[in-house]
Amino acid sequence: MDYRKLGQEITELVGKKDNIARLTHCATRLRFELHDISKAETEKLKALPGVITVVNNGGQYQVVVGNEVQQVYRVITQQMGSATRSADSKSDSGKNNGPKQKQSWISRFISVISTTFTPVIPAIIGAGMIKAILAVLVLTGLVTTESQNYYILNTIADAAFYFMPILLAYGASIKFETSPIMAMTVAGVLLHPGWSALMTEGKDVFFIGVPVRLTDYAGSVLPIIIVVWLMSYIERFADRVSPSMIKFFTKPMIVLLITAPLALVAIGPFGTYLNDLVAMGAEAINARASWLIPLLMGTLQPFLIVTGTAWAMTPIATSQLTKNGYEMINGPGMLASNIAQGGATLAVALKTKNKKLKQLAASSGFTAVLGITEPSLYGVTLKLKKPLITAMIGGGVAGIYAGLTGLVRYAFVSPGLAALPAFIGSNPMNIVHAIVTCLIAFIVTFALTWIIGFEDPVDDEEEGNTNVNDDKTLSGQPVQDHTPGTKSAATTNANVLNQNEIHSLMIASPMQGELVHLDRVPDDVFSLGLLGKGAAIIPAKGELYAPIAGEVTAFMDSKHAVKLNGYNGEEILIHIGVDTVNLKGRHFDSSIKVGDQVQQGDLLISFDIDAIKAEGYEVITPIIIANSDRFPDIKLEKQRSVEVGATIMHLS
């Protein structure tokens, strides 16, 4: 591949180097922050030889190029020269000296909400599922609302919502590049029992003569985000004015002494006012046209996911859940949309003659009706177009029913069949309306997809090829010895693999954990096999070992991903976690470097599973055969718990 040419073409199609505010990369993708996203020519980028796909999400414009990302990155940074260095560099105060990204206020708002809420999602989903389970227990009479069991479980479920400002402070601190601990401390001030006591007394409160509005910040969203944004500037100021000898004491004192009073006196009440204003607007629309918001959400949810704007309504939904115990902004319309996506995709699975599409549609359609639609959307309906249209129609029709019947969601979960208990609450008919909404979405969409049809892609799968997700295993076949001898991996890989000599290569498990299919990875680039076939492991221990003997040909500075070229021509990419490049090496430790020769079983990377999860990242680890095209038959062992060194794949 001509990396220089590819790098030049990518630079040209993202709007030329002057449009690039910042460029980073992970193990497989270039991550651009662009001044003007409209200048990027996405379809032309996707069509470039060497580009796998393009993802625009979370304020980043990601160009997926696979294993050659480092070479292409170097070419682009060389072309940009000092522009890249200034964009990536920071002054001592932490302020970015590079050009600012010229985004619309809507794009900036969505980027802030996305980054802030991402680490919080596991907590509020976990709490939401406990709420759903509790609803089932009460409905079946196993628990009463007066019992201590109910009280304790309800307290556990409420904690994530009550302390929402503290949880959001962490995500906001990452977005605004300020201290997470200081941000969470300021959030703690807003929730302190002393503040609650002042509210209970109901007396007028003043701070240095300025009246203070008593506001309940439990479960609030916007106030803490605005506070942390301001704190990021105060922290830089404190860093500049604090003498170096006593900075350890003076800097945090200045930050707290300025930020906390401002939060209580001005910013907190202002943020609460904005939060209430938006919520009142949504409730006013719902009161006058209850069908409108579910209709729009049921119809446009796929568009919102693709454009990354699905986060925009999250603050309103969480605020409603906290104050009212239910919400009607996200849940009803999303339920209709998710089930419709599943209906369209399963119709494709039954109707298509393409074996690969049938397998993909069947698995992703099943996960869609359970509530996870990204594999279905990106892998099937978006590509085929007509099923996407029918899914939007079906979601809209079901959304109208949900709105007219007053359907609400009582817990924050991804709406689908698996989360139907989240629709059980004080209104006994609510769950009935939820089930009817699902039936309408599925039946309408399935029927429309079946009648309208779609352009069925030609099945070009060669006879005898077996998908990597096959549960069959090889037995009784000779296996090529992995002993490296004196031959280097680079020399061997330059030669054509002799398929007559190598009948089967066994790939050993690089870690202890649970072996699963790639479709379990919550990243379409991996789960859809865009980088190659393979498997994934949910690690039980934070140690990564070499699955083969070979050479380290790529190793990220962030230490979360490594590529090995084996002595028999296999190329294996291992990526610990999802989006863990953002950790910038935190919680990872390794001494390997590119060019090292390793033996199977050598320790490559150590990592802290709990710390990575605490920062909001998945640790599921894809193991990709980067040159899958050289191995016509790749078979995965059955899903099970595996130890280091156990065979997980056979390459023939």
Side-chain angles (χ1 to χ4, degrees):
M1 179 182 293
D2 188 341
Y3 301 120
R4 181 163 296 278
K5 180 181 178 183
L6 178 59
Q8 291 171 345
E9 290 174 332
I10 291 175
T11 302
E12 191 72 19
L13 292 176
V14 296
K16 300 183 179 180
K17 65 180 184 180
D18 292 338
N19 193 39
I20 302 174
R22 180 176 298 174
L23 172 62
T24 57
H25 75 92
C26 59
T28 59
R29 58 190 89 184
L30 300 163
R31 295 172 179 259
F32 292 93
E33 291 184 16
L34 303 177
H35 293 297
D36 186 354
I37 199 73
S38 66
K39 292 182 178 180
E41 301 181 62
T42 301
E43 294 307 316
K44 289 184 179 180
L45 275 167
K46 289 181 178 180
L48 280 181
V51 172
I52 297 172
T53 190
V54 176
V55 179
N56 182 22
N57 191 19
Q60 287 186 335
Y61 191 80
Q62 304 170 14
V63 181
V64 184
V65 296
N67 300 321
E68 293 79 18
V69 65
Q70 290 184 349
Q71 292 92 324
V72 181
Y73 172 81
R74 282 195 291 267
V75 169
I76 297 177
T77 52
Q78 288 170 3
Q79 293 172 354
M80 294 175 63
S82 60
T84 301
R85 289 190 291 273
S86 65
D88 285 336
S89 64
K90 295 181 181 180
S91 67
D92 291 339
S93 66
K95 188 175 181 179
N96 195 327
N97 291 324
K100 296 296 181 182
Q101 195 169 3
K102 297 179 181 178
Q103 293 179 313
S104 68
W105 68 271
I106 295 177
S107 298
R108 290 197 296 269
F109 172 76
I110 292 170
S111 177
V112 169
I113 295 300
S114 175
T115 305
T116 301
F117 267 89
T118 297
V120 178
I121 292 299
I124 58 180
I125 285 182
M129 288 306 297
I130 292 176
K131 283 274 190 182
I133 293 172
L134 200 54
V136 173
L137 293 176
V138 172
L139 185 68
T140 55
L142 296 176
V143 171
T144 65
T145 55
E146 292 79 22
S147 69
Q148 292 182 350
N149 291 332
Y150 178 89
Y151 183 85
I152 292 173
L153 287 174
N154 196 51
T155 300
I156 294 171
D158 279 342
F161 294 96
Y162 182 88
F163 293 104
M164 182 71 70
I166 295 178
L167 302 183
L168 293 176
Y170 174 80
S173 69
I174 294 174
K175 176 63 180 178
F176 299 123
E177 299 181 358
T178 189
S179 167
I181 294 299
M182 296 300 292
M184 295 165 73
T185 301
V186 173
V189 172
L190 300 179
L191 298 173
H192 194 279
W195 184 253
S196 301
L198 287 175
M199 292 183 62
T200 302
E201 290 180 5
K203 298 179 180 179
D204 292 338
V205 177
F206 296 85
F207 178 74
I208 57 173
V210 179
V212 179
R213 178 186 174 187
L214 297 175
T215 303
D216 183 7
Y217 294 104
S220 62
V221 174
L222 292 182
I224 191 60
I225 295 177
I226 300 173
V227 168
V228 175
W229 170 71
L230 179 68
M231 195 194 87
S232 67
Y233 290 95
I234 296 173
E235 185 179 42
R236 293 164 192 166
F237 166 77
D239 187 77
R240 286 197 303 270
V241 301
S242 297
S244 58
M245 290 184 62
I246 58 173
K247 183 179 292 188
F248 180 79
F249 304 101
T250 59
K251 180 180 175 181
M253 178 192 70
I254 293 172
V255 171
L256 280 177
L257 203 54
I258 297 177
T259 308
L262 280 175
L264 293 171
V265 174
I267 304 170
F270 174 72
T272 302
Y273 174 76
L274 286 181
N275 201 92
D276 293 344
L277 189 65
V278 174
M280 286 169 56
E283 290 176 359
I285 294 173
N286 192 67
R288 289 168 174 77
S290 61
W291 50 269
L292 182 58
I293 293 178
L295 164 65
L296 294 176
M297 292 297 293
T299 304
L300 300 179
Q301 184 68 16
F303 173 77
L304 298 178
I305 292 173
V306 171
T307 58
T309 54
W311 291 95
M313 305 297 283
T314 303
I316 307 174
T318 53
S319 177
Q320 285 188 336
L321 277 169
T322 303
K323 291 186 176 182
N324 305 329
Y326 61 85
E327 66 88 20
M328 75 286 288
I329 297 298
N330 272 3
M334 287 179 64
L335 177 66
S337 178
N338 291 353
I339 298 298
Q341 276 289 321
T345 309
L346 290 174
V348 170
L350 289 177
K351 194 166 187 177
T352 182
K353 299 297 190 295
N354 185 297
K355 294 180 181 178
K356 290 182 179 179
L357 178 59
K358 184 180 289 291
Q359 183 180 24
L360 173 62
S363 60
S364 60
F366 177 72
T367 58
V369 296
L370 292 180
I372 307 299
T373 60
E374 281 80 359
S376 167
L377 177 61
Y378 289 114
V380 181
T381 60
L382 190 60
K383 290 181 177 180
L384 298 179
K385 295 182 177 61
K386 287 183 180 179
L388 176 61
I389 295 172
T390 61
M392 294 174 72
I393 294 172
V397 172
I400 292 175
Y401 174 84
L404 291 175
T405 56
L407 181 65
V408 298
R409 178 175 59 165
Y410 293 101
F412 195 101
V413 293
S414 182
L417 297 184
L420 279 178
F423 292 86
I424 299 174
S426 55
N427 178 8
M429 286 300 295
N430 196 71
I431 182 62
V432 176
H433 295 318
I435 294 172
V436 174
T437 298
C438 292
L439 290 173
I440 293 173
F442 188 89
I443 294 171
V444 170
T445 307
F446 190 96
L448 285 175
T449 306
W450 193 271
I451 295 169
I452 295 174
F454 50 89
E455 187 175 343
D456 201 9
V458 177
D459 194 342
D460 57 358
E461 184 181 49
E462 294 181 6
E463 186 176 356
N465 281 12
T466 304
N467 188 280
V468 71
N469 286 340
D470 192 350
D471 279 339
K472 297 177 181 178
T473 60
L474 294 179
S475 61
Q477 296 189 14
V479 178
Q480 183 73 8
D481 186 7
H482 282 256
T483 305
T486 58
K487 184 179 286 188
S488 71
T491 302
T492 303
N493 291 339
N495 299 327
V496 177
L497 187 66
N498 188 333
Q499 296 289 351
N500 292 325
E501 293 179 1
I502 300 178
H503 298 283
S504 175
L505 304 178
M506 292 190 299
I507 306 300
S509 174
M511 54 177 56
Q512 177 185 338
E514 181 186 356
L515 176 66
V516 297
H517 291 161
L518 270 184
D519 57 17
R520 289 280 297 276
V521 181
D523 186 323
D524 295 333
V525 173
F526 293 112
S527 63
L528 299 179
L530 299 181
L531 296 177
K533 299 177 181 179
I537 293 178
I538 302 172
K541 189 175 182 182
E543 294 176 344
L544 177 73
Y545 295 86
I548 58 171
E551 178 182 347
V552 178
T553 55
F555 183 55
M556 298 293 298
D557 292 339
S558 50
K559 300 181 182 181
H560 76 290
V562 62
K563 182 169 176 283
L564 304 176
N565 284 15
Y567 296 114
N568 288 316
E570 66 274 43
E571 298 178 10
I572 299 181
L573 170 68
I574 307 174
H575 191 288
I576 301 173
V578 177
D579 285 333
T580 44
V581 63
N582 297 328
L583 293 172
K584 299 178 181 179
R586 294 195 306 276
H587 317 310
F588 293 89
D589 183 53
S590 177
S591 59
I592 62 172
K593 60 184 181 299
V594 173
D596 283 353
Q597 306 292 316
V598 297
Q599 298 296 319
Q600 180 183 320
D602 287 351
L603 179 62
L604 301 179
I605 303 171
S606 299
F607 55 99
D608 189 330
I609 294 177
D610 293 335
I612 294 171
K613 287 182 177 180
E615 296 217 33
Y617 294 93
E618 298 276 358
V619 293
I620 186 170
T621 299
I623 301 127
I624 305 296
I625 310 302
N627 58 340
S628 298
D629 55 330
R630 297 188 68 180
F631 299 95
D633 194 5
I634 300 178
K635 294 182 179 179
L636 174 66
E637 290 279 0
K638 291 184 177 180
Q639 297 184 69
R640 68 186 196 282
S641 296
V642 292
E643 298 292 331
V644 174
T647 300
I648 59 173
M649 277 185 285
H650 299 266
L651 317 183
S652 297

